[in-house]
Every structure is written in C-alpha cells, then in structure tokens.
Amino acid sequence: QVQLVESGGGSVQAGGSHRLSCVSSEYKFSGRCEGWFRQAPGKEREEVAVIHSDMNIVYANSVKGRFTFSRDNSKNTLYLEMNSLESEDTAMYYCAATQTLHYSTRTGIKQCVWESGVWGQGTRVTVSS
C-alpha cells in the first residue's frame, strides 16, 4: 500500500520555528495536488498549504506569511517550514497527494480530489505559550 510518511513533529515554544517533512518510497510527487493539512483537537481538518492542479501554492489565511511549503524533487520530499508558531497551530499535521482530479463546471478548473489520494499517518505539533 502506497504510504506517505511525515516526520518532524514535536513540541515548540510559541514564536519558534519547526520544519515538517513528508517522504514516500512508493509515490512519486509530481508538483501538483500535493499538500499539507492539519486537524486540531475538536476541529475539522483544514488545508494548510497545498499545490493545486494549476501548480499554484495556496496557503490558509491563518498561516500566510508564516509557513512555507517547498519540495525537493531529488529526495521526493515535501516540506512545511513553520515560523512564528502560535498556540493555534497545535494540531496533527498530515501530508497528502492525489492524482485524481475533478473538473468543476462551477469554477471551470480541475480540482484535486484529496479523498482519493494517499495520506500520511500524521505528525503532531504542539505549540506552548
């Protein structure tokens, strides 16, 4: 079974920085429909930073200017650099990728179908104030 593996989670003080990594030995990242999600206790899962089908990176408003999504093709690895961490960033972080697209007649663009993709098991980040 294809699997993504996140690493780098841990505890960090508010205002600090942390970097998450996501690697797969079976899935080759393509540069589109890949990204980072998170789920905080008692909350819905949310997109943090994703590359859409048009290869644009979109960040959640809550992390814009603080988080950076990057890729290393040579290592087939995704990264999430997190700076100026806040207690609200405490969550389980997941990386995901999908090759399934759905054409939206409403938007006229192909949307990534994350539910049909591959996911990691998550890495927990705890930010203490």
Side-chain angles (χ1 to χ4, degrees):
Q1 183 177 356
V2 177
Q3 190 173 10
L4 308 183
V5 180
E6 304 96 338
S7 62
S11 297
V12 61
Q13 292 283 332
S17 298
H18 220 61
R19 187 176 81 161
L20 306 181
S21 301
C22 173
V23 65
S24 178
S25 58
E26 303 98 349
Y27 186 95
K28 182 171 175 59
F29 296 120
S30 63
R32 64 183 70 205
C33 292
E34 301 161 352
W36 291 92
F37 298 74
R38 69 185 180 185
Q39 186 166 19
K43 294 188 176 181
E44 296 289 319
R45 186 185 70 197
E46 63 172 343
E47 290 184 5
V48 176
V50 297
I51 301 177
H52 285 290
S53 61
D54 58 2
M55 303 181 77
N56 284 321
I57 300 176
V58 177
Y59 294 92
N61 288 334
S62 58
V63 307
K64 278 181 182 177
R66 300 188 299 121
F67 288 16
T68 301
F69 179 15
S70 62
R71 306 170 62 254
D72 186 331
N73 289 334
S74 66
K75 297 180 180 179
N76 199 44
T77 302
L78 309 179
Y79 300 101
L80 184 67
E81 185 75 37
M82 306 182 293
N83 298 312
S84 302
L85 282 162
E86 305 167 352
S87 57
E88 291 78 14
D89 296 317
T90 294
M92 185 73 84
Y93 285 74
Y94 301 90
C95 64
T98 183
Q99 296 178 344
T100 302
L101 303 176
H102 169 72
Y103 178 76
S104 170
T105 55
R106 181 178 65 84
T107 62
I109 63 174
K110 294 181 179 178
Q111 296 177 328
C112 308
V113 182
W114 300 105
E115 292 73 15
S116 299
V118 293
W119 290 76
Q121 294 188 331
T123 186
R124 186 174 301 279
V125 174
T126 302
V127 183
S128 57
S129 56

